[in-house]
Structure formats: C-alpha cells, structure tokens
C-alpha cells in the first residue's frame, strides 16, 4: 500500500544530515510565515508505525548509542546507520585505499539490509560522506556495482573527518515492496529541465509511485550546458532551486510539498544571501531543514541542496512549534508532520537557549544537553518522544568530541537507540560544537 511508502521519506536525514531547527547564522531574525496549522502532527487517522532495531553478525558490532538499522512499520522501511570500512570480524578499520574501503562499506550495508530482509534493489536514498572528493571517481565505481536497477537518489559531500580515520561513510534508507503489491515500490524520476544524472544515482526516487519523492542533492549546474553557472552565491542558489523545482515537477510535486531539506554550503558566511533566495520558493510554511558548512562540495560548487517531498495520497500535517525550543529564525520550521502514516521531521538543533536565543556557555557535554532538550521540546510538540525517533544525524565541529557527546546523547534513548550517522563538518551555525536533527515515526 502507498501509505507505507511515506515512511521512506523520513530517512532523509540524511542523509543525513541537518541543522535548521536551530537559529542559523542570520544577521537578524526573519519573521516566519504563519504556519498552516500548528500542533497535531499526529492526525486522528494516523497509521501507527512499529519500530524495531536490526542487528547483523556480518556487520560491525554497534559501539555506542545507535542501532545498525531501524525498521518501521512492520519492517517495510529500513533506516540504515552510516557505515565505515570496519572489518566485522577484527572490529578495526581495514587497511587499503578508498576502493577497498568503499567495498567494505558496501558489504557492511549489504549485511544489515540482508538482516532486515531487504537488498540494494530496495534502497531509495543514500548519502556519501568522503574525506576527500578526489576519491569520488574510485568510490563511485565500486558503489555503482551494487545497484543493478535504477540507482537511488543521493547526496555526496566532503566532510572534515570521519570516525576512526575512515575515508568514506555511507548511510541510506530502503523501502521493501509489499508481498501483495503489483506496483513497483520505487520509480526513478527524470526531468530534462534538470542536470542529467551522471553516475550511479537518479535525479529522484518516487516511493510507491506516488507517496514520497527523495530528490538527489542539486548543485548549480546549468541543465542545458552541463556546466557550473557563472555568478555569485545568489545566482548559484537560484540555479539549485530551479533544478530542484524541475525534478519535483516531474514527480508531480512542488515546493509546497517539501517536508525536509538539507543545505550544504562551502561557506556559512554566504548563508544570509542564500536564505533570501531559498525563502522565496516556499509560499506556505517552509520545511524543516539542516544547514551546514562542509569541507568541500562537488565541482567546486558553493551550495548543494537535497530534499524530500510528499506526493499523491500523503500530505504535510503542518508545522510544529514549541516555545520550549529556539524560535525559527529564517525560512524553516522547527518540525513538519506528515500524514496519514505519521512522521515528524525535526530541523537540526544547535545549543541555543530558547529563552535568550543565545548559545549556551560550557563544554560539548553542556552543549549536547541543550541540543537534546531542544529536540525533546519539538518532538513533544509534535506528539512524539525519543522512543519514537528512527534516525538522527550528528554533526560535530571536532570528531574527538564524540565520546563525550555519546554519554549525554545515550541517556535520552533508554530503549533501542535510532539509526544514525556522525560526521565532522567544516563549521556549524553560531560557532556550535554539535548539531543534531532527527526523524520520528509516530
């Protein structure tokens, strides 16, 4: 049934990856549009989503407060934690170049998919984190061999560092076909008005042909020439948004249907100008989002944006607002709910005091506590809790902080913790040391 495919959209997290619920680096707070409807991200006719952890003896053992994957509902949607090139037998990073590391990563993902009763044919979205974009061609070659049919949507970015000194990490989401379903679970979306896909990815994947669409990260490439557009960050942002618009239109969606975006920047100093252009494309309540400075973006671009949208029988339940979380300053919402299968996409939170709007003083443990309290407030306003969270992305300013972050973060998940990815980025808004976004299944 199409309703189940809606769950897939949650994964974008990816992906992810994500920072918006937190006040972002804007000179002055911009008044937000009046939300379509506020609370009740959980409609009366909501379809409950069971949540269970996936384990595989053929994948690296979990070290820390996360699960190898989380399945919802009834095992149909699988959120895969980021995998690095750790040998599951020796429990250490393998030796070798990025080709060998990518092969190990894909085998680790395969093991988790197998344990969930899925395969690479079911994957609808991935995020590839590289520590050096110069490795991309070699990583791409290995990655592409695992996708026999239409490859998933994806985003590829360069991060500042990965755990254990890895060169590549990959996370993803898969949606399994129902046994009684005759329709394809996933359909590749193509638009001649957007840059053509070069390599093993699709411009977008429409889940169950009409419930959710995952749109690959777009950079400012002119679809006619295939070249990066000339001009400043405003011109690049405009091109990215037009590319996204073309792919959304090809899937029967529009910016009004977008529930989550991830904005990757080469320089957070560009953010104010980007926000002005980006905001014009959202006439209704803007989606949840995360905004991050990466170490580098493909082809020397200054901006890359990916998104997830609802289509056909599903709809945005409205924006979630909480006075106990930092006010949204800019073109984003603290959270966005989705129906009839209820999901809540929560924007990236940084350690801002909701009362003052200022960063909290203290070390990374104090900052993580504040971030988790901010997320808790938005989750509760949307009718959720940490027990309902299926995926998080943790962005850090220094990978060396992860142990301390884990101590605080782990206390909020007394039951099976969610899938997650953890990466060191180039910089976080407001000089934060940690930012976390999440998706919950209600």
């Amino acid at each position: 049934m199409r309703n189940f495919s809606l769950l897939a959209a949650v994964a974008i997290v990816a992906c992810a990856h994500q920072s918006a619920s937190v006040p972002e680096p804007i000179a002055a707070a911009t008044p937000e549009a009046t939300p379509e409807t506020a609370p009740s991200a959980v409609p009366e006719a909501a379809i409950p989503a069971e949540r269970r952890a996936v384990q595989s003896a053929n994948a690296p053992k979990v070290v820390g407060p996360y699960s190898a994957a989380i399945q919802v509902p009834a095992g149909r949607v699988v959120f895969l934690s980021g995998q690095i090139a750790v040998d599951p037998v020796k429990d250490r990073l393998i030796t070798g170049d990025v080709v060998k590391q990518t092969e190990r990563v894909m085998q680790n993902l395969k093991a988790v998919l197998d344990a969930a009763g899925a395969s690479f044919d079911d994957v609808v979205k991935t995020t590839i984190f590289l520590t050096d974009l110069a490795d991309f061609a070699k990583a791409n070659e290995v990655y592409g061999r695992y996708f026999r049919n239409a490859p998933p949507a994806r985003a590829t970015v360069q991060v500042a560092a990965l755990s254990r000194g890895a060169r590549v990490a990959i996370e993803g989401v898969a949606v399994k076909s129902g046994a009684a379903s005759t329709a394809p679970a996933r359909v590749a979306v193509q638009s001649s008005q957007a840059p053509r896909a070069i390599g093993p990815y699709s411009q977008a994947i429409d889940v169950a042909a009409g419930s959710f669409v995952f749109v690959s990260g777009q950079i400012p490439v002119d679809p006619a020439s295939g070249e990066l557009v000339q001009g400043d960050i405003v011109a690049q942002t405009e091109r990215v948004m037009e590319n996204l618009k073309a792919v959304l239109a090809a899937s029967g969606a529009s910016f009004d249907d977008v529930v989550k975006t991830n904005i990757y920047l080469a320089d957070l100093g560009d953010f104010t100008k980007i926000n002005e252009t980006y905001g014009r494309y959202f006439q209704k309540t803007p989606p949840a989002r995360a905004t991050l400075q990466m170490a580098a973006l493909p082809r020397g671009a200054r901006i890359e944006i990916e998104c997830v949208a609802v289509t056909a029988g599903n709809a945005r339940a409205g924006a979630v607002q909480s006075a106990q979380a930092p006010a949204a300053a800019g073109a984003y919402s603290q959270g966005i709910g989705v129906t009839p299968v209820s999901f809540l996409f929560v924007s990236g939170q940084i350690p801002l005091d909701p009362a003052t709007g200022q960063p909290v003083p203290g070390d990374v443990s104090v900052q993580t506590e504040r971030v988790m309290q901010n997320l808790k407030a938005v989750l509760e306003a949307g009718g959720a809790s940490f027990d309902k969270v299926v995926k998080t992305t943790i962005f850090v300013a220094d990978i060396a902080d992860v142990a301390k972050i884990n101590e605080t973060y782990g206390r909020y998940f007394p039951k099976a913790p969610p899938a997650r990815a953890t990466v060191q980025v180039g910089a976080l808004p407001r000089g934060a040391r940690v930012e976390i976004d999440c998706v919950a299944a209600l």
Side-chain angles (χ1 to χ4, degrees):
M1 292 181 57
R2 287 184 179 178
N3 287 342
F4 287 115
S5 53
L6 211 158
L7 296 155
V10 174
I12 266 269
V13 135
C15 247
H17 323 266
Q18 308 90 1
S19 4
S21 206
V22 192
E24 312 201 38
I26 304 173
T30 305
E32 291 285 302
T34 304
E36 301 161 78
T37 52
S40 196
V42 192
E44 292 181 10
I47 298 172
E50 297 175 5
R51 173 188 182 283
R52 63 188 183 88
V54 176
Q55 294 180 333
S56 171
N58 296 314
K61 68 177 182 179
V62 170
V63 182
Y66 68 95
S67 299
I70 291 289
Q71 289 182 291
V72 285
R76 290 288 301 280
V77 181
V78 186
F79 295 92
L80 299 160
S81 284
Q83 286 287 341
I84 57 174
V86 169
D87 183 319
V89 176
K90 299 177 180 178
D91 191 31
R92 62 170 181 256
L93 197 73
I94 65 166
T95 56
D97 64 4
V98 74
V99 171
K100 290 182 179 178
Q101 289 209 11
T102 306
E103 186 70 44
R104 183 67 262 164
V105 166
M106 297 303 285
Q107 285 296 313
N108 291 346
L109 289 170
K110 182 178 184 296
V112 179
L113 286 166
D114 288 345
S119 72
F120 282 112
D121 288 344
D122 300 312
V123 175
V124 295
K125 171 68 171 66
T126 65
T127 306
I128 302 178
F129 302 103
L130 296 169
T131 55
D132 188 347
L133 277 173
D135 286 338
F136 178 69
K138 290 181 178 179
N140 210 33
E141 211 172 291
V142 177
Y143 172 94
R145 293 202 303 268
Y146 285 82
F147 297 102
R148 298 170 299 173
N149 301 321
R154 80 176 183 199
T156 304
V157 294
Q158 180 176 320
V159 295
L162 295 168
S163 61
R164 300 203 192 188
R167 297 177 68 93
V168 58
I170 303 176
E171 65 173 2
V173 62
V175 181
K176 298 191 290 182
S177 302
S181 175
T182 56
R186 56 199 290 286
V187 176
V189 176
Q190 294 183 333
S191 170
S192 59
Q193 304 306 307
R196 67 187 184 91
I198 303 175
Y201 70 95
S202 299
Q203 287 178 341
I205 292 291
D206 187 351
V207 179
S211 291
F212 253 95
V213 60
F214 291 87
V215 181
S216 288
Q218 286 288 336
I219 58 173
V221 169
D222 183 323
S225 68
E227 299 298 326
L228 209 67
V229 298
Q230 300 299 308
D232 63 4
I233 189 62
V234 173
Q236 289 207 9
T237 305
E238 187 76 39
R239 183 66 264 163
V240 165
M241 296 303 286
E242 287 298 315
N243 291 346
L244 290 171
K245 181 182 177 188
V247 179
L248 286 167
S251 69
S254 72
F255 282 113
D256 289 343
D257 301 307
V258 174
V259 293
K260 176 68 164 63
T261 66
N262 291 326
I263 303 179
Y264 304 114
L265 304 177
D267 185 353
L268 274 172
D270 287 335
F271 182 73
T272 301
K273 289 182 178 178
I274 288 167
N275 209 39
E276 290 173 7
T277 303
Y278 172 93
R280 291 201 306 269
Y281 284 82
F282 296 102
Q283 298 302 306
K284 298 182 180 178
T285 302
R289 81 176 180 200
T291 304
L292 309 152
Q293 179 176 315
M294 308 311 290
L297 297 174
R299 299 183 65 172
R302 297 178 67 175
I303 181 171
E304 177 178 355
I305 304 177
E306 63 179 349
C307 71
V308 184
V310 292
T311 59
N314 299 308
R316 302 197 333 171
V320 172
Q321 292 183 331
S322 171
Q324 305 307 310
Y332 69 96
S333 298
Q334 289 178 342
I336 291 287
V338 178
T339 62
V341 176
S342 291
F343 277 96
L344 177 62
F345 292 82
V346 180
S347 288
Q349 285 287 338
I350 57 173
L352 294 183
D353 183 325
T356 65
Q358 297 302 311
V360 298
D363 65 5
V364 74
S365 296
V366 174
Q367 289 203 12
T368 304
E369 185 70 40
R370 183 66 263 163
V371 166
M372 298 303 286
Q373 286 295 314
N374 292 346
L375 289 170
K376 182 174 183 282
V378 180
L379 287 166
E380 289 178 347
S385 67
F386 282 114
D387 287 345
K388 301 290 187 181
V389 173
V390 293
K391 172 68 170 65
T392 66
T393 309
I394 302 179
F395 303 100
V396 299
D398 187 346
I399 205 78
D401 285 339
V402 169
K404 288 184 177 178
I405 290 169
N406 264 348
E407 285 177 20
T408 304
Y409 172 93
R411 293 201 303 270
Y412 286 82
F413 297 102
K415 299 181 181 179
R420 82 174 188 198
T422 304
V423 300
Q424 179 179 324
V425 296
L428 294 171
R430 308 283 294 270
R433 295 178 68 91
V434 59
E435 178 178 355
I436 306 175
D437 68 0
C438 71
V439 182
L442 308 180

